Amino acid sequence: MTTRAPALPHPPLRETLSHWERAGVREGVGFYVFVAAFVVFCLAPFVWTLLTSLKGPTTIFEVPVRYLPTPPDLTNYQDIFGLERFRWALLNSAIVASSATAISLVIGSLCAYAVARLYFPFKNLLLALVLAIAMFPGIAIIGPLFREFNAWGLTNNYLALILPNVTFTLPICIWVLTAFFSDLPAELEESARVDGCTRIQAFYKITVPLAAPGVFTAAILLFIQAWNEFLFARTFMSQPNRLTATVAIAQFEGADISAQYPWGQITAASIVITLPLVVLVLLFQRRIISGLTAGAVKG
Amino acid sequence: MTFVGPLDVRRRRWGAQQFAEARLGLLLAAPALLTILLIALVPLAQTIGDSLFQINLKFENAPRPFVGLDNYGKVLGDDSWFNALGVSGLVAGASVAAELVLGMLIALLINRSFRGRGIVRASVLVPWALTTVVSAKMWAWIYDGRYGVFNDLLMRLGLIDQPIIFLVRPELTIWAMIAAEIWKTTPFMALLLLAGLQLIPTELYEATALDGASRWQTFWRVTLPLLKPTILVALLFRTIDAVRMFDLPRVLTNGGPGKSTETVVLYTYNTFFTSLNFGYGSTLAVMIFLIVVLVSFIYIKVLGAPTQGAGR
């Protein structure tokens, strides 16, 4: 694969031009083989997990491996939804991730608006701080947060996870929204203000609705980040019914502890936990990509 | 740069309106600033403070003497720390290098319009969006020594006769972990590089084609220099992510076998919450923070990586 590009004979000029014009390019079989291999590379582990989750207890542990679950067996899914801990874990993750997303959006949109539109002192310091948070190692604050949360009785409280999640989702939120606000013409707000709106009214009535696609994109990115968080969730929650989905799956022991390691249930739980994310990705791939790359390439 | 606004471009005269604007700007930024201050900066200062004490939470009423820089001296003689540093260094170096090469190859090849582009884009996002903990479990199952599909494939292809128990042999385990990391992050790298590629004007390629440059020359002389800012940003964030790595080693191997996959963050975490040694744990946490600062300093100041939104 690595030799493909340089090994190509130098194409004649006309072909080169039409290649870069990109319109109606017919790609060769080799190209599609590569693309197919890449798609398989990306999806195979996930598909394998899905196939495993649909196998019964004996089919999973067959040697040599049986690839297709015939017939599909939903026992694993019934088992994990029968576990109270797992149902709690899903609920906890949903509560933490959506609260953190909502709070981060409110705080972040105000900040992003100020960055995009207003002239104020210490703006560069603020932006440097936001960048620093994006690179900040969570381990550097986990000790004091653990002790403080203990002292304030916040362990096993959703707030103990929501607060750090808000903090660490802020950079992406601010970057995505600043990019969107900057792209909106300022004249719209100015004319609203001429018509008698205050600055804040203009922000909420004109800018936010127009930036809805940006807010939505940011919301998806923040939700995914908060949903996947593990370090803080593992540290600040200890009661079985307060664990988030990531912690629950990391510590999964299955319905029957004496049985073999419950790969069927683990894979089923993995599918359930990641399904919301995969659905989001499939539905909103364009937005996600534009949001992810906006900050990085505009810099 | 677009984010910075006219801060240092126009010199403003400060009238009442400018004061009102500055006040509003600070007011709107205040909640974000306050959150960052309270949840990140103040605890960071506390960690630095704790690193100067001997604090063990095993015994509730144990004295917590001030020990100055003793903990930092201890780091210098701590074999486990240097082991973890080696593991993190290897994982970061190997995975980021592989991601860059693979990601670049993929980005160059899919930087064109073709049928099924949407499918490629969606499948690229699956490893990225997937929970790391879940991905670690998935790979543990794939690598399984008896029932794992990876062994099964290798045996069917006739590459091995006996299943390999990947996660108990230190020399293999770390590479199994690196492979899982590469799988999860290469697609994202490809995506960033693709976005950078699409910013390069096609006229440049047409011009170099007219000048008779080969594809190889075009890549080295046109594509790579223009892509440099994107590459540096991608490398900066990926390197720092690799330094911060916790979820994958914690769930896939828990640092084992032995300490062969114990990354710096995992070692520090265990010092905090297994040994309950909060003084020394804080010292290690400060060291990790300093490593992150050093890495970003090298990328931003030495190599000149543009920073997202921060201007320059």
Side-chain angles (χ1 to χ4, degrees):
Chain A
M1 265 190 300
T2 38
T3 52
R4 188 177 181 267
L8 274 177
H10 182 235
L13 191 60
R14 271 218 51 74
E15 214 184 296
T16 316
L17 278 176
S18 70
H19 171 76
W20 295 115
E21 281 162 9
R22 289 168 193 205
V25 180
R26 288 200 162 195
E27 300 299 344
V29 178
F31 173 76
Y32 275 103
V33 169
F34 174 83
V35 168
F38 177 55
V39 170
V40 169
F41 169 77
C42 290
L43 297 183
F46 185 72
V47 172
W48 181 243
T49 307
L50 180 66
L51 290 178
T52 306
S53 73
L54 293 170
K55 288 176 192 170
T58 47
T59 330
I60 288 182
F61 299 110
E62 248 176 57
V63 178
V65 173
R66 195 201 289 191
Y67 279 70
L68 292 177
T70 43
D73 186 335
L74 291 177
T75 321
N76 294 321
Y77 289 90
Q78 284 165 0
D79 286 350
I80 53 162
F81 277 108
L83 285 172
E84 199 194 347
R85 267 177 82 152
F86 185 70
R87 296 197 304 265
W88 269 111
L90 287 177
L91 182 69
N92 294 337
S93 273
I95 292 173
V96 169
S98 44
S99 317
T101 304
I103 297 173
S104 183
L105 276 179
V106 172
I107 296 178
S109 66
L110 295 176
C111 181
Y113 177 80
V115 171
R117 282 279 194 275
L118 301 176
Y119 174 78
F120 61 96
F122 307 120
K123 192 196 257 182
N124 283 338
L125 182 70
L126 172 73
L127 288 171
L129 214 53
V130 170
L131 176 71
I133 293 300
M135 302 192 285
F136 200 87
I139 191 84
I141 55 170
I142 206 160
L145 285 186
F146 178 78
R147 289 168 65 191
E148 302 285 321
F149 288 162
N150 255 340
W152 300 338
L154 278 184
T155 35
N156 290 310
N157 185 317
Y158 292 127
L159 213 54
L161 295 189
I162 294 172
L163 288 175
N165 271 313
V166 167
T167 311
F168 286 100
T169 51
L170 268 179
I172 295 185
C173 181
I174 291 174
W175 289 336
V176 170
L177 291 179
T178 306
F180 267 85
F181 290 152
S182 302
D183 285 346
L184 294 177
E187 291 77 27
L188 287 173
E189 278 167 54
E190 277 157 23
S191 57
R193 287 171 65 201
V194 169
D195 290 345
C197 280
T198 65
R199 194 142 211 162
I200 297 292
Q201 281 176 327
F203 173 62
Y204 275 111
K205 291 191 177 163
I206 309 289
T207 312
V208 170
L210 282 175
V215 174
F216 186 66
T217 305
I220 297 172
L221 295 177
L222 307 189
F223 185 84
I224 291 178
Q225 192 186 336
W227 180 269
N228 288 345
E229 204 281 324
F230 179 62
L231 179 66
F232 296 121
R234 194 184 179 283
T235 312
F236 301 145
M237 299 296 204
S238 52
Q239 282 172 11
N241 290 350
R242 280 290 177 268
L243 305 182
T244 63
T246 49
V247 184
I249 201 157
Q251 301 179 347
F252 199 81
E253 278 161 348
D256 179 7
I257 302 173
S258 61
Q260 196 158 19
Y261 198 61
W263 280 115
Q265 290 172 26
I266 288 192
T267 49
S270 297
I271 295 297
V272 172
I273 287 171
T274 48
L275 208 59
L277 307 181
V278 172
V279 169
L280 280 177
V281 159
L282 294 181
L283 287 179
F284 304 111
Q285 33 145 325
R286 268 171 199 281
R287 283 178 194 285
I288 292 175
I289 290 178
S290 71
L292 276 179
T293 52
V297 292
K298 273 188 186 172
Chain B
M1 230 82 66
T2 38
F3 300 162
V4 179
L7 190 63
D8 27 42
V9 183
R10 268 179 289 164
R11 180 177 282 261
R12 293 212 177 186
R13 267 178 298 143
W14 283 76
Q17 213 192 328
Q18 276 71 41
F19 270 115
E21 187 177 331
R23 207 181 54 189
L24 182 65
L26 285 174
L27 200 68
L28 294 181
L33 213 54
L34 213 64
T35 311
I36 291 173
L37 195 71
L38 288 182
I39 309 291
L41 299 188
V42 170
L44 175 66
Q46 283 174 306
T47 303
I48 296 172
D50 285 355
S51 75
L52 304 175
F53 288 83
Q54 187 185 320
I55 303 170
N56 200 315
L57 297 194
K58 255 181 205 153
F59 316 101
E60 208 166 315
N61 293 319
R64 294 176 181 175
F66 178 80
V67 292
L69 292 175
D70 282 8
N71 284 333
Y72 289 89
K74 201 171 137 197
V75 173
L76 296 177
D78 184 351
D79 290 341
S80 296
W81 165 254
F82 285 105
N83 169 67
L85 213 53
V87 170
S88 280
L90 177 63
V91 173
S95 61
V96 174
E99 286 156 30
L100 179 64
V101 173
L102 286 173
M104 180 71 86
L105 197 76
I106 294 158
L108 285 171
L109 274 162
I110 61 176
N111 183 24
R112 60 190 78 179
S113 60
F114 58 89
R115 275 168 174 277
R117 207 180 155 145
I119 298 171
V120 175
R121 210 166 25 204
S123 45
V124 161
L125 285 176
V126 168
W128 166 80
L130 216 62
T131 315
T132 309
V133 171
V134 166
S135 133
K137 282 284 180 200
M138 275 171 28
W139 284 99
W141 169 233
I142 288 170
Y143 287 139
D144 190 273
R146 276 182 79 185
Y147 312 107
V149 67
F150 192 48
N151 269 316
D152 186 74
L153 283 174
L154 291 179
M155 302 234 311
R156 278 178 208 250
L157 291 172
L159 295 174
I160 53 171
D161 303 323
Q162 285 290 315
I164 300 171
I165 308 174
F166 289 98
L167 300 182
V168 299
R169 287 168 55 180
E171 77 280 8
L172 287 181
T173 310
I174 190 153
W175 291 104
M177 187 170 94
I178 290 171
E181 173 74 1
I182 292 172
W183 171 77
K184 182 144 174 31
T185 47
T186 297
F188 178 66
M189 182 72 103
L191 218 65
L192 279 184
L193 295 177
L194 181 64
L197 280 177
Q198 288 174 343
L199 288 184
I200 300 175
T202 48
E203 294 79 29
L204 272 177
Y205 289 118
E206 285 162 19
T208 43
L210 280 173
D211 290 342
S214 69
R215 281 191 176 195
W216 192 237
Q217 283 172 322
T218 311
F219 174 72
W220 284 103
R221 301 273 172 80
V222 179
T223 313
L224 214 51
L226 288 172
L227 207 56
K228 190 185 155 204
T230 312
I231 293 175
L232 284 177
V233 169
L235 285 184
L236 166 65
F237 278 86
R238 285 297 318 134
T239 310
I240 285 171
D241 278 348
V243 172
R244 293 189 292 193
M245 195 189 220
F246 171 75
D247 305 13
L248 182 63
R250 177 71 185 77
V251 177
L252 184 67
T253 61
N254 198 10
K259 286 172 175 289
S260 62
T261 55
E262 192 176 65
T263 58
V264 281
V265 175
L266 186 55
Y267 174 53
T268 308
Y269 191 86
N270 290 336
T271 307
F272 271 119
F273 297 104
T274 307
S275 320
L276 292 176
N277 198 340
F278 270 57
Y280 190 54
S282 300
T283 311
L284 297 175
V286 172
M287 295 300 289
I288 294 173
F289 178 77
L290 292 178
I291 293 172
V292 169
V293 170
L294 184 73
V295 168
S296 36
F297 179 82
I298 291 174
Y299 272 109
I300 294 171
K301 293 289 178 197
V302 181
L303 300 172
T307 49
Q308 289 178 320
R312 252 180 298 177

